[in-house]
Amino acid sequence: MSASRHPIALRLERQVGEGTRLLATVMALPLIDGIFTALIVAGAVSDLLGMVEVGLLIFGGSATLAVVLAEMEGSRRDRVKNVLLVGALVVPLAAVQATIAPTIASVLDMVIFERFAALVILAIAAKTASATVGEYLPRPSVIIGLGLVASFRPTAFEFGFVADPMFVVYGTGAAVVGVSFALAVAGLGPWLRGNVDIDRFRFGSAVALGVLPLTILEVGPITGEEPLALIVLAITGLFAFNPEGAMDAPSEDADAAAATDGGEPDDPFEEDVEDAVERVDDEESTAPGSPEGDRAPWL
């Protein structure tokens, strides 16, 4: 991955490839692992605030940002079209899972299951922040499976279908929010590449994910109605804003101009000579006997 070393996106990239296929895998992973269903069952998507939080952090978030900016090729129109194709897959699947979630919740002890739902979000946050830490943590699907076993109530089991229209509305809306986030990133891609530090946004998103379980469990004075995760995510966006990066990120217009430029390319022999001279000067200036030889490498 050229623009970011996102641990989750890198692992998926090795398995499914790049581009649109990778984006589809990243955005559908919460549906495949059962994370989205677990959050609905735990009540994290029971209102408008929860819909936005889950949409931005679970379906959107740093992994989606990194994939759209670093791996999706083509023009802005092509990227938007590919994101819409992914959305056409993710949104209906989210609606189906939101429909069956109340049936699953009817046979579970929610006090126990909510703790496992919070634990799986913390695990995802740790995996997002550090690939090394993520290697020692179980897969989210394993944690959810253990939660289902631990919270299952055999005495309450009754074969029947339970549906809640609001679960379907908010669950589908969360997927729409995530797809809208990806569309915004695809449309603003050239500007975001030069003005947003992707890895800084990744760490901030991990912190926002770590805050989300507090609202699920309603720890201490937290009632679950406070938009703590959204506040952390907004602060993350501010800290990740890096206008100076625009000098290092070429725009699409600049690339097009370079492709159509009829000028002669620079002489590679001259570049090699200049690099050799600069390397010799650097070695002399950092020699043990030189004034700068004892300086720390990061200076």
Side-chain angles (χ1 to χ4, degrees):
M1 181 169 291
S2 57
S4 175
R5 311 300 298 176
H6 196 289
I8 297 177
L10 281 172
R11 176 174 59 84
L12 294 175
E13 181 182 7
R14 298 187 187 100
Q15 296 176 356
V16 303
E18 303 177 355
T20 307
R21 184 183 301 177
L22 177 60
L23 178 65
T25 305
V26 167
M27 297 191 70
L29 193 62
L31 303 172
I32 299 172
D33 282 349
I35 300 169
F36 180 61
T37 303
L39 289 176
I40 294 179
V41 171
V45 201
S46 58
D47 53 17
L48 185 62
L49 177 63
M51 179 188 77
V52 176
E53 285 182 338
V54 172
L56 290 177
L57 292 174
I58 302 301
F59 290 108
S62 57
T64 299
L65 178 74
V67 171
V68 174
L69 292 185
E71 296 301 331
M72 295 192 70
E73 300 178 350
S75 64
R76 181 183 288 107
R77 179 178 300 179
D78 293 336
R79 291 194 299 269
V80 169
K81 184 186 300 183
N82 292 334
V83 171
L84 289 175
L85 290 175
V86 173
L89 169 69
V90 171
V91 173
L93 289 178
V96 171
Q97 292 196 6
T99 302
I100 64 176
T103 303
I104 300 175
S106 64
V107 297
L108 298 179
D109 185 336
M110 294 311 302
V111 175
I112 297 176
F113 188 78
E114 285 177 357
R115 286 165 170 74
F116 280 90
L119 183 62
V120 74
I121 296 302
L122 289 175
I124 296 173
K127 288 175 178 288
T128 301
S130 173
T132 303
V133 174
E135 293 178 355
Y136 297 96
L137 297 177
R139 292 178 59 87
S141 57
V142 174
I143 300 176
I144 294 173
L146 292 174
L148 291 173
V149 173
S151 60
F152 180 66
R153 298 181 301 170
T155 56
F157 181 78
E158 182 179 353
F159 183 78
F161 180 72
V162 181
D164 188 336
M166 296 311 298
F167 274 33
V168 178
V169 171
Y170 289 130
T172 307
V176 172
V177 169
V179 174
S180 300
F181 173 81
L183 284 173
V185 174
L188 300 174
W191 182 84
L192 290 174
R193 287 190 188 96
N195 293 277
V196 174
D197 189 318
I198 299 179
D199 287 322
R200 194 178 298 174
F201 185 81
R202 169 169 63 88
F203 282 105
S205 297
V207 176
L209 280 171
V211 171
L212 186 59
L214 300 179
T215 60
I216 296 177
L217 299 177
E218 299 181 4
V219 178
I222 299 176
T223 63
E225 299 180 357
E226 299 85 355
L228 296 180
L230 289 181
I231 293 174
V232 174
L233 190 63
I235 296 174
T236 295
L238 293 177
F239 279 111
F241 184 67
N242 183 22
E244 296 179 358
M247 301 298 294
D248 301 326
S251 64
E252 291 181 346
D253 296 337
D255 293 340
T260 57
D261 187 8
E264 295 295 332
D266 295 336
D267 188 355
F269 178 76
E270 293 180 358
E271 293 179 355
D272 292 341
V273 173
E274 292 175 358
D275 292 341
V277 173
E278 292 177 359
R279 184 164 58 253
V280 172
D281 292 340
D282 292 340
E283 292 175 355
E284 292 178 353
S285 62
T286 57
S290 64
E292 298 180 0
D294 296 330
R295 298 181 64 184
W298 54 84
L299 299 179

